Amino acid sequence: MQLLTPLALTLAALAVPIILLYMLKLRRKQETVSSTFLWRQLLREQQANAPWQKLKRNLLLLLQLLILAALVFALARPALQVPVVASGSVIVLLDASASMNAVDVNPTRFDSARDSVLDLINGLSPASSLTLILVAEKPQTLIAAETDKSLLRQALDNAQASQGSADWESAFALAAGAGSNSTFVIVSDGGLPESGLPALPGEVRFIPVGASQNNLAISALALRPAQKSPQLFAEVTNYDSADRNVLLSIYFNDQLIDARQLSVQANSSRSLTLDALSNESGIYKATITTPNSNNSLNSLNPPNSQSSINSLDSLPLDNTAFAVFQSSSSRRVLLVSNGNLFLEQLLASLPGIQPFRALPAADGTIQMPNDPFDLYIFDGVAPPELPKANLLFVNPSSNPLFEVGGTYNEFQNMQVDQHALTNFVDWSNVHILQAKTVQTPAWAETLIESDSGPLVFAGETKGQRIAALAFDLKESDLPLQIAYPILFSNLINYLAPPSAFDATRSLEPGESLSILPPSNAERIVVASPSDQAYTLALDQTVFTQTDELGYYAVNFISGDSNHVEYFAVNLFDEAESNISPRETIQIGRSTVTPTASQQIGQRELWSWLAALALLVLMIEWQVFHRRQIPSLPIFRNNLDAEKR
């Protein structure tokens, strides 16, 4: 053992005044009395009242000296040399992925990992520093190059496990930038990519966490349209080494519609398809539980007992999944044109489109209807004030969104840029007589172009989606090509999607969602599975707070009306559901095995000494008050009364 601040031992000299206080005799106050008969003993003491007396055995003195000794040694910071995993400059990567919520170690893998990091912090020498990086969907540095152990413990206490996957590539880049020639300590259950991770600029050590591979998961839950009603596909995967029986229950809006017992072999999957489902919009929920008498097939409500879910396996997060079905509704599209048979026939043929037409007046003025539409198409004309909605311009005229110049008729090297809106669009046989000179706005992307300028572009600005064709359809053979319905179908589905977002697609935790609000929406409020509300501005249509598993409600508020759509976030990740602990990890070209404590660190004992001082202080307080109580007049009178 060594003392980190030995000069604090000089405070032991405080014991001298404490002892001297106990050697001083009590000096009493002189008073005049009528008789000294009853005060002879007092007079004898007063006569013998010298300044000093012989030090007597006193329990209070011993306790007070013990308190002083404990405090002095605590200030001296005694420390024991103990073996530790790393010392010096240490960078810790703490795994906070979904698999770290497994309960195969008590209470969870993440809590066990935090205990390992806490041991590492407690064993740091005074010259060592530690950087703590939490590895989740978005890795973050909780504390950097800190030597103060109290601050390190506080940062560690603030670390929480996530419900999604971990981005180890970004975490390694963050760790490499935190310092070179450091010791990198990875605390994880081994759920790192098996290859592709770069080498770190220092020695890498691995502290494994986890004890079991016992886990079953709902690995898929999806809806797909059919002729009369949607179909639901569900899949259960057994990641355990033993065959398992499981009860799969399917609910629609919290009402049980099907429950089946499945026998799933080890390291394999079983699937289930349900037909003839309701065409109503709603939320489907799938749960897996242990088949027993408590799980009745006739139950109308989903199981709420967390203990029954946890008893199935070691990771309850992937035992529940959600899927959202959104019934299709007609999208209102207004065509403002002097007459275009090609566009009118196309809008009439597209499914889910309710077309309307507005004709400009004879003098060219445009009277816009008061009713809102999901999409406005302007063919060769444009009103002075554009509606605050999604717009499609064909043969555009001057407008506030982009500049329109003269015409040109030379089209060299026409090409289709790679984009989701140009999928399956073949432009090789398209011919154009002339087009207008348009400069692609900064907010837009060019979809189809020639050497003379863009022919088709699209983008988003101030919460509006805009697309434009820089030529007249009647001055091209595009309506005669197969590219015509494909291009316009892609554009219209982009500008006026069937819903504000694709609700049928399940998101991963942390994945952002692009929201296209209705034209009459005044406010967007998103409610998370834990009922936390997030308010989005109309020009902020990307929602990123998707860290929780479950279903989210997106409320489009307009005046007193509220339109709600839902989307689901599920843990369909084999890397997280397969919780089998790994004995080694691959970093660069090196295979890293679990690390034993090889270096020497220091474990300080001052906290124990401070606790001892507090305990002795409480004992000293009790002893002092017990001695004082009998000397009080009320107790003395009671004793005299008992003697009589």
Side-chain angles (χ1 to χ4, degrees), residues 216-222 232-239 248 250 262 264 268-273 286 288 318 321 572:
L216 292 96
I218 299 178
S219 52
L221 185 69
L232 179 71
F233 174 79
E235 183 183 64
V236 179
T237 301
N238 179 13
Y239 295 98
L248 174 63
I250 307 294
L262 302 178
V264 189
S268 63
S269 302
R270 284 286 304 275
S271 61
L272 171 68
T273 301
I288 52 175
D318 52 14
F572 297 148

Side-chain angles (χ1 to χ4, degrees), residues 19 40 113 121 166 199 242 262 344 364 368 429 476 493 505 522 528 557 583 588 625 628 644:
I19 296 174
R40 291 176 181 176
I121 292 174
L262 302 178
E344 293 173 7
M368 298 295 295
N429 295 321
S476 72
N493 284 333
R505 186 176 69 88
E522 299 176 357
S528 70
I557 302 173
E583 298 181 355
H625 280 277
Q628 292 295 106
R644 297 193 191 97

Side-chain angles (χ1 to χ4, degrees), residues 61-72:
L61 174 61
L62 295 177
L63 292 176
Q64 291 169 4
L65 292 177
L66 182 57
I67 294 172
L68 178 63
L71 292 177
V72 168

Side-chain angles (χ1 to χ4, degrees), residues 21 182 285 326 379 434 463 580 609:
L21 288 175
S182 300
K285 176 182 178 181
Q326 189 76 35
D379 177 31
Q434 65 177 7
S580 177
L609 292 172

Side-chain angles (χ1 to χ4, degrees), residues 265-346:
Q265 296 182 351
N267 300 314
S268 63
S269 302
R270 284 286 304 275
S271 61
L272 171 68
T273 301
L274 297 182
D275 299 309
L277 299 176
S278 173
N279 284 310
E280 297 180 2
S281 299
I283 300 170
Y284 288 87
K285 176 182 178 181
T287 62
I288 52 175
T289 54
T290 302
N292 52 40
S293 58
N294 295 329
N295 300 114
S296 173
L297 300 184
N298 297 321
S299 174
L300 296 179
N301 296 312
N304 294 323
S305 174
Q306 189 66 30
S307 60
S308 65
I309 296 177
N310 288 350
S311 62
L312 175 68
D313 54 28
S314 298
L315 184 63
L317 286 181
D318 52 14
N319 294 347
T320 304
F322 297 88
V324 177
F325 177 71
Q326 189 76 35
S327 59
S328 60
S329 58
S330 297
R331 293 162 284 172
R332 293 163 50 89
V333 178
L334 177 65
L335 172 62
V336 182
S337 172
N338 289 311
N340 192 324
L341 184 62
F342 298 127
L343 286 174
E344 293 173 7
Q345 291 180 340
L346 176 71

Side-chain angles (χ1 to χ4, degrees), residues 575-591:
E576 299 300 329
S577 295
N578 187 359
I579 64 172
S580 177
R582 287 167 55 184
E583 298 181 355
T584 61
I585 57 177
Q586 190 72 26
I587 307 298
R589 297 182 179 180
S590 303
T591 300

Side-chain angles (χ1 to χ4, degrees), residues 3-40:
L3 301 178
L4 301 182
T5 55
L7 289 178
L9 293 178
T10 57
L11 295 176
L14 293 175
V16 175
I18 296 177
I19 296 174
L20 291 177
L21 288 175
Y22 277 88
M23 294 180 65
L24 285 174
K25 284 188 175 182
L26 180 64
R27 298 188 65 85
R28 295 179 173 86
K29 182 179 180 181
Q30 292 185 359
E31 295 288 347
T32 302
V33 296
S34 60
S35 174
T36 61
F37 179 76
L38 299 176
W39 299 85
R40 291 176 181 176

